[in-house]
Amino acid sequence: MSRCLTTRYERPIQMNYKLVIFDFDGTLADTFPYFLRTINTLAATYHFSPINPDDVDQLRGMDARQLMKNARVPLWKIPLIANAFIRQMGQDIGQIRLFEGMADLLEQLSKQGVRLAIVSSNSEANIRRVLGPETAALITHYGCGSSLFGKQHKFRKTMEHCGVKPGETLCIGDEIRDIEAARGAAVAFGAVSWGYTRVDVLQGHPGIHVFYTPEGIARTVLGETGR
């Protein structure tokens, strides 16, 4: 599953994963504050329950199905709301930034020969603008936008595109639905502690990595121990 590389210090690295598939919102990019600023405007437009600031911590412990039930959003409205959110973000893209250290992480992994992909319901245009041209060019494959089949299907298509097996792939995200999709695609999963879902909820899912820093991701992918 792994392969041996050499750093600029001529120290061999035993790589654990050949492909890392990143989520975007809440994983690479700090979009949660923007989400909170924007969602209640969409609630008025699409007639679903707005978010009370006092409920944010509780909501961060819910999965997608629970969130929809809490907001009383019918299934048919979800694509409309998601597309409206993505369009609005495109207009406000200057408000979105990568989390500290994530651009450096992508560069480090790419230099060591790891293939990088992004699978997200956000648009490729939005993602590329936030990454910037140099960082965006490090990404081997973008699987973006809404999909009838969901993330599990996108993970499989990404691996097929990159010519990488499930056992050589690590998916990294911040939501319970990401964990479920990775399990469905039979790939390893790593949850970041700085995203949408509370870290204590993520820790309750066995068999996954939980990352507290970008450096922890690098150590796991490149075969070094510890976080």
Side-chain angles (χ1 to χ4, degrees):
M1 178 176 74
S2 58
R3 57 176 174 164
C4 191
L5 297 178
T6 302
T7 70
R8 63 181 181 274
Y9 303 109
E10 299 302 319
R11 179 169 58 84
I13 289 178
Q14 193 71 18
M15 189 190 302
N16 284 331
Y17 300 102
K18 295 181 181 179
L19 170 66
V20 181
I21 305 175
F22 287 91
D23 175 49
F24 180 71
D25 294 284
T27 300
L28 290 174
D30 186 9
T31 58
F32 191 59
Y34 178 80
F35 170 80
L36 292 178
R37 292 194 300 269
T38 306
I39 196 64
N40 285 351
T41 300
L42 296 178
T45 301
Y46 291 96
H47 308 292
F48 61 91
S49 300
I51 292 178
N52 185 325
D54 294 335
D55 296 334
V56 169
D57 191 60
Q58 178 185 358
L59 295 174
R60 291 181 65 229
M62 296 182 181
D63 62 25
R65 287 176 290 272
Q66 292 169 326
L67 286 170
M68 288 187 292
K69 183 178 179 180
N70 182 79
R72 297 193 291 275
V73 180
L75 191 62
W76 66 268
K77 279 190 178 182
I78 293 173
L80 298 176
I81 297 166
N83 289 333
F85 178 79
I86 291 168
R87 287 195 303 271
Q88 187 62 49
M89 182 183 289
Q91 296 175 23
D92 301 329
I93 204 70
Q95 300 179 30
I96 309 300
R97 295 287 184 273
L98 295 179
F99 284 106
E100 184 177 356
M102 296 309 287
D104 290 340
L105 170 67
L106 296 176
E107 182 179 8
Q108 179 185 6
L109 295 180
S110 179
K111 283 183 176 179
Q112 296 295 347
V114 180
R115 294 186 180 184
L116 306 174
I118 295 177
V119 166
S120 171
S121 57
N122 212 319
S123 71
E124 182 175 341
N126 282 354
I127 293 170
R128 284 182 175 274
R129 289 172 68 190
V130 174
L131 292 177
E134 291 185 4
T135 303
L138 302 176
I139 307 303
T140 301
H141 178 73
Y142 291 86
C144 300
S146 59
S147 170
L148 179 64
F149 301 102
K151 276 195 168 183
Q152 180 177 323
H153 177 74
K154 288 182 179 179
F155 289 160
R156 290 185 175 134
K157 292 293 287 184
T158 300
M159 289 185 284
E160 180 182 349
H161 176 86
C162 295
V164 176
K165 300 175 182 178
E168 301 168 328
T169 302
L170 175 66
C171 294
I172 298 179
D174 67 314
E175 297 185 62
I176 297 169
R177 63 174 179 157
D178 297 333
I179 299 174
E180 294 171 345
R183 284 177 176 159
V187 296
F189 185 81
V192 300
S193 61
W194 52 82
Y196 281 41
T197 305
R198 294 200 322 261
V199 67
D200 62 298
V201 175
L202 297 169
Q203 290 168 336
H205 290 263
I208 69 170
H209 303 281
V210 179
F211 297 119
Y212 300 90
T213 64
E215 291 80 10
I217 297 174
R219 285 193 290 269
T220 294
V221 172
L222 299 177
E224 299 173 338
T225 59
R227 290 179 182 165

